[in-house]
Amino acid sequence: MRTTAVTTTTAPTTTSAGLAAIRNLGILAHVDAGKTTVTERILYATGTTHKRGEVHDGTTVTDFDPQERDRGITIFAAAVTCAWAGHRINLIDTPGHVDFADEVERSLRVLDGAVAVFDAVAGVEPQSESVWRQADRHGVPRLAFVNKMDRAGADLDAAVASIRDRLNTTPLPVQLPIGAEDGFTGVVDLVRMRALTWPGAPEPAHEGPVPPHLREEAVRRRRLLEEAVAELHPAALEEFCDRETLTGATLAGALRDITRAGDGVVVLCGSAYRDRGVEPLLDAVVAYLPSPLDVPAVRGTHDDGTEGEERPADPAAPLAALAFKVNATPTGRLTYVRVYSGTIEKGDTVWDARARRSERIARILRVRADRHDPLERAEAGTSSPWSA
């Protein structure tokens, strides 16, 4: 029997109601699309950090390895946790370079959802296609965030067209940019028909009415969004046929169902570097991406290849967890696991079905990039590593 320690990215105790308020997601992108900056701004917007880290300064939370800071790229997938609108968001910042695609693959196996980041100038790039196909294989629902809207040549419509043409999906833009390039100051929320502006970083978003010069265009794009959603969602189609429009509640509910079914992808935009568009992205994560209760129950496999029993996302159910990454550290081996059902407590002995041996849990830790906080237990819905 070997000894092992576990680290978890979520709160130490989880009820069924608590599971509904958990989002396990990854950030996916081509290298230099701004993925790590998006992660950094999410941590800042949620109050997890009190200073904005920058990739070019080597001060980001998730790029903590010396090689990552020297090269300015993500090499290792790093997990962090934060809170937004009463929800716990467990986030994995994945590499964007093709040489580290295995890190993305390992992460995607345990994610419930993802945010795909695209450059507003380049649109879909080669590694964007690769990580999108990886997410397709694992059935991971996604949102799209078109970043760098403040750059010269930024074009949301062109980026949306590239998503449609190159990723074989139906993009559903829910925002209209206010301003362009250096003049990009905010977005029009087409679901709630309101304007969100960021007059200066790092101020929070200011909510107001749609600017008069964009009102006609916003109405037109809202109509296009309703038509696209009605084509993909039966209940929305029924309401659209009866009323020739969709209420905000119906539209939001339909977008949630479409996203979780993988029938389309909600598209948002912003400039993470300038702190514009991050709060609506977090709202979309909470509203549209699934919780552990919304994904299919995990099913095991017997030694002879036949299917085993299903295990629901329930802390009281028998333990089912997947070890998806192992790190050697000066203090021992860290084995990252996703706890699908049941509970692991410090001192427990668990069965490693692949190695066919027992493992004793020596430590349980909450992971925050390169930092770890001790916990007494890890429960269903957590994405965690453990060490031996």
Side-chain angles (χ1 to χ4, degrees), residues 120-133:
V121 178
V124 175
E125 299 174 87
Q127 189 61 11
S128 307
E129 296 183 71
S130 297
V131 297
W132 195 270
R133 287 194 297 269

Side-chain angles (χ1 to χ4, degrees), residues 35-185:
K35 172 176 43 59
T36 299
T37 301
V38 170
T39 303
E40 195 66 27
R41 296 306 188 265
I42 286 175
L43 295 178
Y44 184 77
T46 57
T48 306
T49 59
H50 302 289
K51 184 178 180 180
R52 295 173 298 160
E54 304 294 353
V55 173
H56 54 269
D57 291 335
T59 56
T60 59
V61 172
T62 53
D63 284 354
F64 56 84
D65 187 88
Q67 293 187 63
E68 295 178 308
R69 293 187 169 181
D70 289 343
R71 300 181 185 186
I73 62 171
T74 301
I75 298 175
F76 306 105
V80 290
T81 184
C82 56
W84 182 258
H87 290 69
R88 174 68 57 179
I89 299 175
N90 303 311
L91 189 153
I92 297 180
D93 179 23
T94 66
H97 198 284
V98 65
D99 291 346
F100 313 114
D102 286 347
E103 282 284 284
V104 181
E105 189 76 20
R106 280 190 285 266
S107 300
L108 281 167
R109 295 182 66 190
V110 297
L111 296 177
D112 297 330
V115 174
V117 180
F118 301 93
D119 188 311
V121 178
V124 175
E125 299 174 87
Q127 189 61 11
S128 307
E129 296 183 71
S130 297
V131 297
W132 195 270
R133 287 194 297 269
Q134 287 176 293
D136 280 340
R137 286 199 301 272
H138 293 284
V140 177
R142 278 141 282 170
L143 302 176
F145 182 70
V146 179
N147 192 27
K148 302 188 178 183
M149 288 295 297
D150 58 316
R151 283 187 60 195
D155 188 334
L156 176 62
D157 291 338
V160 169
S162 69
I163 292 172
R164 178 185 297 106
D165 297 338
R166 299 181 61 178
L167 300 181
N168 194 30
T169 189
T170 302
L172 301 168
V174 296
Q175 293 177 339
L176 169 66
I178 299 175
E181 300 179 349
D182 278 344
F184 174 73
T185 58

Side-chain angles (χ1 to χ4, degrees), residues 23-26 111-116 132 135-136 138-145 169-174 191 225 228-229 232-234 236 250-268 281 283-291 294-296:
R23 299 292 183 271
N24 295 313
L25 70 137
L111 296 177
D112 297 330
V115 174
W132 195 270
D136 280 340
H138 293 284
V140 177
R142 278 141 282 170
L143 302 176
F145 182 70
T169 189
T170 302
L172 301 168
V174 296
V191 177
L225 176 62
V229 166
L232 298 171
H233 194 274
T250 298
L251 181 58
L255 288 170
R256 180 178 62 249
D257 294 341
I258 290 168
T259 299
R260 296 178 181 182
D263 295 330
V265 56
V266 170
V267 181
L268 302 99
L281 176 61
D283 290 337
V285 165
V286 168
Y288 305 134
L289 290 181
S291 74
D294 298 317
V295 298

Side-chain angles (χ1 to χ4, degrees), residues 296-373:
V298 66
R299 182 183 291 275
T301 304
H302 295 299
D303 291 341
D304 59 5
T306 59
E307 286 190 344
E309 64 183 74
E310 287 188 347
R311 294 284 173 84
D314 182 357
L319 176 66
L322 173 66
F324 63 94
K325 182 178 178 178
V326 178
N327 271 354
T329 72
T331 59
R333 186 188 66 174
L334 283 175
T335 304
Y336 289 73
V337 302
R338 165 68 190 268
V339 183
Y340 287 102
S341 70
T343 301
I344 300 174
E345 296 190 356
K346 187 169 66 173
D348 282 353
T349 298
V350 300
W351 175 250
D352 185 337
R354 186 163 196 164
R356 306 196 66 77
R357 63 170 178 247
S358 296
E359 301 270 3
R360 188 175 68 83
I361 309 303
R363 294 178 296 160
I364 301 177
L365 310 168
R366 176 186 293 143
V367 66
R368 293 179 180 175
D370 59 338
R371 299 180 182 181
H372 306 99
D373 300 327

